[in-house]
Amino acid sequence: GKSTLLQALQMGVYDHIPGDGRELVVAEPASVTIRAEDGRAVQSVNISAFIDNLPFGKKTNDFSTPDASGSTSQAANILEALEVGAKTLLIDEDTAATNFMI
């Protein structure tokens, strides 16, 4: 299914070993897998392009927390990936923050 295809694409950025089953799977070398990570720390990331309202008036233009939600962690993950030069974002709906993706 979709998750299997995404896993193959993730592995496609590594050197192929003849006979390992990945001969026909190729991905952009600057691909990054994005997922929601409940509870991860986020430090000074501007997530305002994705989220502009947080409870208790918490600012999103310089967002920091020791315990991010799925949505805020995914927004931070996307921005951090782009900052380091990712050209392709690989997102599996099974590990994404569904409410963020809508």
Side-chain angles (χ1 to χ4, degrees), residues 22-94:
R22 297 179 289 157
E23 290 84 1
L24 301 177
V25 178
V26 179
E28 162 66 46
S31 297
V32 175
T33 299
I34 300 295
R35 65 185 316 131
E37 295 181 85
D38 287 325
R40 77 158 271 209
V42 175
Q43 187 66 42
S44 298
V45 179
N46 182 355
I47 62 170
S48 64
F50 299 109
I51 301 170
D52 60 359
N53 289 324
L54 287 175
F56 310 109
K58 191 157 180 85
K59 294 181 180 183
T60 58
N61 62 342
D62 187 26
F63 181 73
S64 295
T65 183
D67 186 24
S69 69
S71 294
T72 55
S73 70
Q74 188 166 329
N77 284 342
I78 290 170
L79 292 161
E80 291 164 345
L82 294 174
E83 187 175 304
V84 297
K87 293 184 179 179
T88 304
L89 303 178
L90 304 173
I91 303 173
D92 186 343
E93 66 183 330
D94 290 341

